Amino acid sequence: MMEEMNYYDEVINLIERHHRWRGNCINMIASENITSIAVREAIVSDFGHRYAEGLLGGRNEDGLRIFNRFYQGTKYFDKIEGIAMKLAEELFEGEHANVVPISGVMANLAVYNALTKHNDKISGLTVQAGGHISHTRVSAVGVIGLREVPYVFDNYEMNIDVDKSKSILLREKPRIMMLGASLFLFPHPIKELREIANEIDAYIVYDGAHVAGLIAGGRFQRPFKEGADVFTSSTHKTFPGPQGGIIVCKKFLADKIDNSAFPGLTSNHHLHHVAGLAIALAEMKEFGRDYANQIVKNAKSLAQGLYELGFNVLCEHKDFTESHQIAVDVSEVGRGKEVAELCERANIIINKNLLPWDSLNDADNPSGIRIGVAEITRIGMKESEMKEIAEFMMRIIIKRENPDNVREDVIDFKKEFNEIHYCYQSRSGAYDIIRIE
Ligand SMILES: *Cc1c(COP(=O)(O)O)cnc(C)c1O
């Protein structure tokens, strides 16, 4: 008879193996990052056991928002949530922040729910053009029952074609114009679309999930200054906070959006994540500029390196990127699926990605890969390391060297980078397990 597995030991063991492996990897998933040790301590704090349902009240003597809670026991948490809101308003330059959404999709859902009614229209990018699923019918747009109005996308410039989209928008009159994307190389034309939004009385909602850390660091674009009404985001991509969501908006939308987030779509808003978010916001206020600048330098440098080694990196004519991402067309060297799998064997973690000229049916094996440098920048890598990473990828994908051999060199290379930068302190290594004993 087979002995029953000890699941407890097995899961602990799998966590340890995961940490060891990922610590030996170069992680370039564009939607991922790692948090500081202080943020991780917040995540494992007692706040992870508590509830703080409630509605927004006035302000305390420090100017922080206060809350009318339904349960007792929240006096310290209330201050933390107030700090998170204040810092988010400052860093994202908006009038009102809501830190209730527990993910980026939930943030979008809360905004759609607040600002639209069933059958209204929403404009956005298709998934092939880089739009996030939550901008489309398969996800939040479909859940609320909205109708899609896709923008026309300029595949060469890798951006929204405002001139060609204009007549469609004027005719279809979407209630919400979504901006922001998951494949997101260049700032979106908020200013130009603001004029159209004014004509058709639409809200501009800027989904900064990918670029929030760059925006907080004063680098990509300034959504509210350029004309957005609402900013939504995940809190864990270029912004190095715990996994979660956030909404920042203009004052006149605050009540609707707050009510939609709670009690509309959330009961418990995961207080430990709010505490971690407050710490990450404080860190970004202090270190965000340096971090965002180095991210963009690294992205450009990795793109240039890959291009010089023979990769078809998109948008060479625009210096490849202004964000943390680069997109590579690998249709001539194995296509997305094989390329991503070969890289994984060599401990280089990336994802296959649809490019604008792919069909949705190509999702399993699209023509592209997407590479993000937020995490490798956070552990201290600079331009010279980008050249080395480009070499590793060239050996695997173009020279077709055995990935197992390249892996040895990747592990060796990665050994130097085990500290978290752009944060206050770093008592543990970037990939250590946080133990509480
Ligand atoms: C990742 C992403 C989201 C979703 O965020 P989750 O936190 O995973 O729910 C929303 N919008 C865009 C543009 C994204 O890239």
Side-chain angles (χ1 to χ4, degrees):
M1 271 245 313
M2 247 186 33
E3 226 180 293
E4 163 123 70
M5 184 187 269
N6 178 334
Y7 294 112
Y8 174 84
D9 286 344
E10 179 63 9
V11 173
I12 301 283
N13 178 256
L14 289 168
I15 292 172
E16 286 169 353
R17 283 167 60 190
H18 171 85
H19 271 256
R20 215 175 307 127
W21 179 47
R22 285 305 209 109
N24 283 327
C25 286
I26 297 169
N27 184 45
M28 297 190 290
I29 300 289
S31 53
E32 293 181 358
N33 207 329
I34 51 170
T35 51
S36 69
I37 300 304
V39 169
R40 295 183 211 186
E41 285 173 347
I43 295 172
V44 296
S45 72
D46 180 66
F47 288 122
H49 308 133
R50 306 300 161 202
Y51 266 80
E53 292 175 315
L55 301 170
L56 203 51
R59 289 182 191 274
N60 71 9
E61 61 282 4
D62 300 320
L64 301 177
R65 302 307 298 250
I66 55 177
F67 302 85
N68 300 317
R69 300 292 190 193
F70 299 158
Y71 302 166
Q72 301 314 119
T74 66
K75 64 181 177 187
Y76 296 114
F77 178 71
D78 289 356
K79 292 214 165 92
I80 291 176
E81 185 164 349
I83 290 170
M85 291 170 69
K86 180 172 185 283
L87 287 174
E89 287 155 6
E90 185 182 328
L91 286 178
F92 298 115
E93 304 184 305
E95 292 167 349
H96 176 74
N98 182 302
V99 295
V100 167
I102 55 172
S103 78
V105 170
M106 292 300 290
N108 284 340
L109 202 51
V111 171
Y112 301 165
N113 181 51
L115 305 185
T116 65
K117 52 187 194 319
H118 192 75
N119 255 342
D120 277 352
K121 292 177 184 166
I122 181 167
S123 59
L125 288 171
T126 62
V127 168
Q128 302 93 296
H132 187 255
I133 50 169
S134 63
H135 305 181
T136 74
R137 296 267 320 169
V138 301
S139 169
V141 163
V143 170
I144 301 287
L146 304 176
R147 289 178 287 164
E148 289 171 354
V149 179
Y151 298 119
V152 178
F153 196 70
D154 183 330
N155 293 351
Y156 181 65
E157 297 296 329
M158 286 298 282
N159 211 327
I160 296 166
D161 186 325
V162 177
D163 287 339
K164 291 200 176 125
S165 300
K166 183 171 179 176
S167 55
I168 299 170
L169 293 166
L170 292 177
R171 186 183 70 230
E172 298 292 334
K173 297 189 174 49
R175 195 81 189 102
I176 289 179
M177 290 166 54
M178 281 310 280
L179 293 176
S182 299
L183 181 60
F184 202 1
L185 303 177
F186 303 104
H188 276 169
I190 307 176
K191 270 191 201 136
E192 293 85 336
L193 290 166
R194 180 72 252 176
E195 291 171 25
I196 301 172
N198 289 345
E199 271 188 59
I200 60 174
D201 208 14
Y203 300 109
I204 292 190
V205 178
Y206 184 97
D207 180 345
H210 264 276
V211 293
L214 303 178
I215 289 172
R219 193 57 214 235
F220 202 60
Q221 64 186 140
R222 302 174 74 182
F224 287 104
K225 290 275 182 298
E226 294 167 35
D229 298 300
V230 183
F231 169 88
T232 60
S233 189
S234 304
T235 52
H236 49 264
K237 296 184 183 179
T238 51
F239 187 89
Q243 293 188 331
I246 189 170
I247 304 168
V248 185
C249 64
K250 290 188 177 160
K251 242 194 198 102
F252 77 103
L253 297 172
D255 285 349
K256 273 188 184 169
I257 284 175
D258 286 348
N259 279 314
S260 178
F262 176 86
L265 289 162
T266 319
S267 162
N268 178 16
H269 60 302
H270 298 183
L271 314 191
H272 50 322
H273 289 181
V274 175
L277 174 64
I279 290 172
L281 284 159
E283 288 171 343
M284 283 301 276
K285 186 174 150 89
E286 184 80 22
F287 307 102
R289 281 189 182 265
D290 289 346
Y291 181 40
N293 280 330
Q294 191 61 47
I295 286 175
V296 178
K297 278 193 214 163
N298 282 355
K300 285 176 182 287
S301 167
L302 179 58
Q304 183 68 38
L306 289 167
Y307 185 79
E308 284 169 8
L309 292 171
F311 283 94
N312 184 6
V313 186
L314 302 193
C315 292
E316 192 257 343
H317 67 294
K318 298 168 78 169
D319 201 14
F320 306 106
T321 183
E322 291 299 327
S323 76
H324 61 306
Q325 296 184 5
I326 62 182
V328 187
D329 183 338
V330 291
S331 55
E332 304 286 313
V333 288
R335 293 188 70 82
K337 180 177 156 62
E338 189 201 10
V339 165
E341 286 172 359
L342 285 173
C343 283
E344 186 185 33
R345 277 178 54 195
N347 280 10
I348 293 175
I349 311 293
I350 55 171
N351 63 273
K352 62 188 176 194
N353 214 91
L354 288 166
L355 295 178
W357 42 89
D358 286 335
S359 132
L360 260 191
N361 300 326
D362 294 328
D364 285 338
N365 191 14
S367 60
I369 53 171
R370 183 185 68 172
I371 301 175
V373 301
E375 181 167 328
I376 56 180
T377 304
R378 197 151 167 77
I379 53 176
M381 293 191 192
K382 298 258 164 71
E383 289 91 325
S384 61
E385 282 77 36
M386 298 304 114
K387 302 292 169 204
E388 292 192 57
I389 292 172
E391 293 270 348
F392 289 138
M393 293 184 69
M394 188 269 288
R395 286 167 57 192
I396 302 160
I397 298 158
I398 294 177
K399 277 204 185 153
R400 291 279 153 171
E401 219 177 288
N402 184 341
D404 300 335
N405 296 342
V406 180
R407 185 173 61 234
E408 300 302 312
D409 295 339
V410 167
I411 291 173
D412 216 42
F413 164 82
K414 183 67 192 305
K415 282 204 176 90
E416 306 289 313
F417 300 96
N418 191 35
E419 245 180 64
I420 308 159
H421 294 242
Y422 311 102
C423 59
Y424 282 107
Q425 36 75 8
S426 217
R427 288 191 297 275
S428 305
Y431 299 91
D432 293 352
I433 294 183
I434 305 287
R435 295 193 189 272
I436 304 174
E437 269 152 357

